[in-house]
């Protein structure tokens, strides 16, 4: 069974709870391919499908969702896109790197080896345009948000908390300890697809001095 639950959210959306949380992105991809929804959004534990209740009734929408997923073999979904990001770790680019490493009883290089050796994937976008929550970092590495958030965190900054990286696509406030800064442009408003890191994208981090 693909879905554990399908729950109504207001009068124009359904929240889908997968039996296997790792299938969220494949489910979203399958639904988007139908092109009949107002929006399909991947969350931490669910996929939300928004529809136009003036065009389709809730019951008809529910049947369309289930029908779409019945026709999908999630095992054979095409591989997620992947991107390699080059991360600078000089003192200016990585102000909390040493602190995060020492909190785990590691040198900076050992800490970075754990991060770059992880199976990293964009779990979801949120909080700010293009901000990527990246899963795959082992829970054995501990880390928590800054006690006093920054008023300005630069675009490309890579934050770390236990279990996740957070990659800032734009300048803005932020409360994640910063362990590096990527060189690639993560947000381009002139592009048809302005955000480089979409949910489901696999990431390979390469450290540069």
């Amino acid at each position: 069974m693909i879905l554990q639950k399908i729950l109504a959210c207001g009068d124009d959306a359904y929240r889908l709870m997968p039996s296997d949380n790792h299938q969220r992105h494949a489910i979203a991809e399958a639904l988007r391919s139908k092109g009949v929804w107002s929006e399909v959004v991947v969350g931490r534990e669910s996929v939300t499908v928004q529809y136009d209740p003036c065009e389709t009734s809730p019951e008809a929408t529910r049947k369309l969702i289930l029908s779409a997923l019945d026709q999908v073999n999630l095992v054979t979904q095409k591989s997620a896109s992947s991107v390699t990001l080059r991360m600078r770790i000089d003192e200016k680019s990585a102000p909390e790197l040493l602190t995060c490493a020492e909190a785990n009883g590691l040198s900076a290089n050992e800490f970075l080896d754990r991060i770059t050796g992880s199976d990293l994937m964009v779990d979801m976008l949120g909080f700010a345009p293009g901000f990527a929550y990246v899963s795959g970092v082992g829970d054995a590495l501990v880390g928590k948000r800054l006690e006093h958030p920054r008023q300005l965190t630069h675009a490309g900054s890579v934050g770390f908390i236990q279990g996740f990286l957070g990659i800032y696509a734009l300048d803005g406030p932020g409360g994640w300890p910063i362990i590096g800064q990527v060189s690639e442009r993560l947000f381009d408003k002139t592009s048809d697809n302005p955000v480089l890191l979409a949910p489901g994208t696999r990431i390979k981090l390469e450290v540069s001095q």
Side-chain angles (χ1 to χ4, degrees):
M1 179 181 290
I2 295 174
L3 297 180
Q4 183 179 28
K5 294 180 182 179
I6 176 167
L7 307 171
C9 294
D11 59 2
D12 66 347
Y14 277 105
R15 179 169 296 161
L16 315 182
M17 311 294 292
S19 300
D20 181 348
N21 201 39
H22 293 93
Q23 293 180 338
R24 289 168 299 141
H25 299 290
I27 288 171
E29 181 183 334
L31 291 170
R32 289 189 187 111
S33 69
K34 299 300 180 182
V36 297
W37 319 108
S38 300
E39 193 168 9
V40 178
V41 179
V42 178
R44 287 283 302 277
E45 298 179 343
S46 64
V47 178
T48 299
V49 181
Q50 186 176 31
Y51 63 95
D52 185 346
C54 295
E55 294 186 1
T56 314
S57 70
E59 186 57 33
T61 299
R62 181 187 176 94
K63 289 180 179 179
L64 282 171
I65 291 171
L66 294 175
S67 176
L69 296 182
D70 280 344
Q71 299 171 27
V72 173
N73 182 351
L74 296 179
V75 176
T76 61
Q77 284 289 308
K78 66 180 181 181
S79 300
S81 61
S82 62
V83 62
T84 298
L85 301 176
R86 296 162 294 171
M87 184 172 74
R88 302 188 301 276
I89 56 166
D90 56 89
E91 187 174 350
K92 181 179 180 181
S93 302
E96 280 82 48
L97 172 58
L98 189 56
T99 301
C100 289
E102 290 177 345
N104 287 278
L106 302 170
S107 69
N109 286 338
E110 289 171 333
F111 178 79
L112 288 169
D113 284 345
R114 298 275 189 94
I115 296 292
T116 58
S118 300
D119 185 15
L120 302 174
M121 185 181 73
V122 179
D123 196 61
M124 58 182 283
L125 302 180
F127 145 64
F131 180 88
Y133 290 89
V134 179
S135 63
V137 181
D139 287 339
L141 291 179
V142 298
K144 58 184 181 180
R145 296 174 186 270
L146 299 173
E147 184 175 351
H148 302 289
R150 289 185 176 85
Q151 294 299 310
L152 177 62
T153 301
H154 293 292
S157 293
V158 179
F160 164 77
I161 60 173
Q162 188 170 16
F164 288 91
L165 300 180
I167 304 181
Y168 294 76
L170 299 171
D171 290 348
W176 293 49
I178 301 303
I179 62 169
Q181 186 175 18
V182 300
S183 303
E184 287 73 17
R185 188 176 185 180
L186 303 178
F187 187 85
D188 180 2
K189 65 180 181 181
T190 66
S191 173
D192 291 337
N193 296 306
V195 178
L196 177 63
L197 303 178
T201 302
R202 296 198 172 276
I203 295 176
K204 178 176 176 56
L205 278 179
E206 293 183 348
V207 172
S208 61
Q209 301 295 329

